Amino acid sequence: MAAVGSGCSTAAAGPGVVSAGALEPGTMSAAHRRLKYISLAVLVVQNASLILSIRYTRTLPGDRFFATTAVVMAEVLKGLTCLLLLFAQKRGNVKHLVLFLHEAVLVQYVDTFKLAVPSLIYTLQNNLQYVAISNLPAATFQVTYQLKILTTALFSVLMLNRSLSRLQWASLLLLFTGVAIVQAQQAGGGGPRPLDQNPGVGLTAVVASCLSSGFAGVYFEKILKGSSGSVWLRNLQLGLFGTVLGLVGLWWAEGAAVAHRGFFFGYTPAVWGVVLNQAFGGLLVAVVVKYADNILKGFATSLSIVLSTVASIRLFGFHVDPLFALGAGLVIGAVYLYSLPRSAAKAIASTSTSASGPCTHQQPPGQPPPPQLSSHRGDLSTEPFLPKLLIKVKGS
């Protein structure tokens, strides 16, 4: 476990970036700059739309669909999509695809079964998020869910011996403070709420979801480090386990009700929109996120919070009081500070310590810099239901 000294931090590890051939700012072409802005728009819309649409479908009057069936359908659609992408990579050759899957899934069964644990946690997390959004306003959930940054950072330090800069530790403290203020506002009765919604249940679900998000992502990176499997293969394997485990969870939680009313009970076009968004939104983000750096992803998260809040006011009559505005502002600032690249974090740290003299904890000459946090579940590049789709497996 890395320690943070009393002077300047010896390392400034930040969340990783899923990027390919990023250009230097001075050489960035107009086309690449345009793609960055498109990526920003996609990330913001994906981050906010899924939460808002789930909140909308879960608060409509009338028959309510079973959340467990939506989780299973999303896993099925994601798995089929990854299978089609692998089929396209094999240039439509069915024989080559079958041989490839036999080798990757069955022959290398140890690697396949390693994915059972994160898949179980992801399935649990997706169900917990339905519970949380059903009991919390969309804006409150969006703010509170940023605790996944804190849990991912802590698990990275504990399990991967990562070190964080002083600025990042300060931003995590700021993040926790902001979430606590928002939850205090919610507990204090921030506006009227339906009788069938329980903020305590929602808070418990979102905290459990954040804990599972951080652990599963770091665990996934730890067990698959050095693997040569492609991101689509890994997500196909996750989808297989996710479908099976989702069906087990469905049978355990709502089996009798589903058997009586039907698997697709309560499904409307809006519900299908949620399922499709959950299934394909992460795939879309996985395609565009390579054009986004950490600052852009942090900015997208901040804009998503603002968009969710504004939309909640218009759609659900959400009331923004000074306490919520303060907490949300602290969270937005913390997300931005945590996403700053190493050079910017160093510049801020050096500015803050310039009055007390030069830093004595510099990186020794000739020693390689510490590794950056790689992309995994719970990083800023993940939102909010499909982080496994954004995992960049080393060697892929």
Side-chain angles (χ1 to χ4, degrees):
M1 177 174 177
V4 180
S6 57
C8 294
S9 173
T10 59
V17 183
V18 182
S19 61
L23 299 176
E24 294 295 329
T27 61
M28 184 180 297
S29 66
H32 191 272
R33 188 178 296 108
R34 186 162 53 249
L35 285 172
K36 286 192 68 173
Y37 289 123
I38 293 174
S39 302
L40 173 64
V42 171
L43 289 171
V44 171
V45 172
Q46 163 62 15
N47 289 352
S49 64
L50 184 59
I51 295 172
L52 291 169
S53 60
I54 291 178
R55 178 66 180 177
Y56 176 75
T57 56
R58 298 298 283 177
T59 55
L60 283 176
D63 295 329
R64 179 179 289 187
F65 68 99
F66 299 111
T68 51
T69 65
V71 171
V72 171
M73 284 304 303
E75 292 294 333
V76 170
L77 291 175
K78 284 183 290 187
L80 291 176
T81 302
C82 291
L83 184 62
L84 289 175
L85 290 170
L86 289 172
F87 182 65
Q89 287 182 351
K90 299 302 177 183
R91 302 182 182 278
N93 192 312
V94 177
K95 181 180 179 180
H96 287 176
L97 177 64
V98 171
L99 291 175
F100 170 75
L101 292 177
H102 177 268
E103 173 69 22
V105 178
L106 298 179
V107 176
Q108 300 179 21
Y109 64 91
V110 175
D111 283 345
T112 300
F113 279 106
K114 284 180 180 179
L115 298 174
V117 172
S119 183
L120 171 63
I121 298 175
Y122 291 149
T123 303
L124 173 64
Q125 179 190 358
N126 285 344
N127 283 283
L128 285 171
Q129 286 172 326
Y130 273 99
V131 175
I133 298 175
S134 299
N135 289 278
L136 292 174
T140 303
F141 172 84
Q142 182 79 299
V143 172
T144 309
Y145 191 60
Q146 302 313 311
L147 281 176
K148 68 184 184 293
I149 301 173
L150 172 64
T151 59
T152 300
L154 293 179
F155 281 119
S156 295
V157 171
L158 294 173
M159 297 172 62
L160 300 177
N161 294 321
R162 294 255 165 77
S163 59
L164 303 178
S165 68
R166 293 170 62 189
L167 179 63
Q168 287 178 312
W169 282 115
S171 67
L172 293 176
L173 178 61
L174 195 67
L175 174 70
F176 182 82
T177 303
V179 170
I181 291 174
V182 168
Q183 287 302 319
Q185 178 265 355
Q186 182 70 26
R193 60 174 180 264
L195 296 176
D196 61 343
Q197 295 180 22
N198 188 328
V201 172
L203 175 60
T204 302
V206 74
V207 170
S209 180
C210 290
L211 286 170
S212 62
S213 171
F215 175 78
V218 176
Y219 176 82
F220 188 95
E221 180 184 1
K222 186 178 180 67
I223 65 174
L224 291 184
K225 187 167 291 185
S227 171
S228 59
S230 72
V231 66
W232 307 123
L233 172 63
R234 294 309 179 198
N235 281 288
L236 173 61
Q237 293 169 313
L238 285 169
L240 292 174
F241 281 115
T243 300
V244 174
L245 294 171
L247 288 171
V248 172
L250 183 155
W251 171 79
W252 180 75
E254 300 173 319
V258 172
H260 175 67
R261 296 187 172 184
F263 188 92
F264 297 108
F265 174 78
Y267 272 58
T268 64
V271 175
W272 278 111
V274 170
V275 172
L276 293 175
N277 192 346
Q278 187 175 356
F280 301 125
L283 287 172
L284 180 61
V285 172
V287 173
V288 303
V289 77
K290 67 179 180 180
Y291 301 107
D293 54 22
N294 277 349
I295 294 180
L296 193 68
K297 285 180 281 187
F299 190 51
T301 301
S302 302
L303 283 180
S304 300
I305 294 174
V306 174
L307 180 60
S308 296
T309 303
V310 172
S312 295
I313 295 173
R314 297 296 300 271
L315 295 175
F316 312 118
F318 182 72
H319 174 67
V320 177
D321 60 16
L323 203 59
F324 177 87
L326 173 62
L330 290 176
V331 170
I332 291 173
V335 170
Y336 173 76
L337 290 176
Y338 190 84
S339 65
L340 286 175
R342 185 181 178 188
S343 57
K346 275 188 171 182
I348 294 177
S350 62
T351 301
S352 64
T353 57
S354 58
S356 60
C359 175
T360 58
H361 298 280
Q362 301 295 333
Q363 187 75 18
Q367 181 175 332
Q372 297 292 312
L373 279 172
S374 59
S375 298
H376 52 72
R377 179 81 174 184
D379 277 351
L380 292 175
S381 59
T382 69
E383 280 301 332
F385 281 70
L386 307 172
K388 56 186 148 185
L389 294 171
L390 304 181
I391 298 167
K392 181 72 173 178
V393 181
K394 293 194 175 182
S396 60

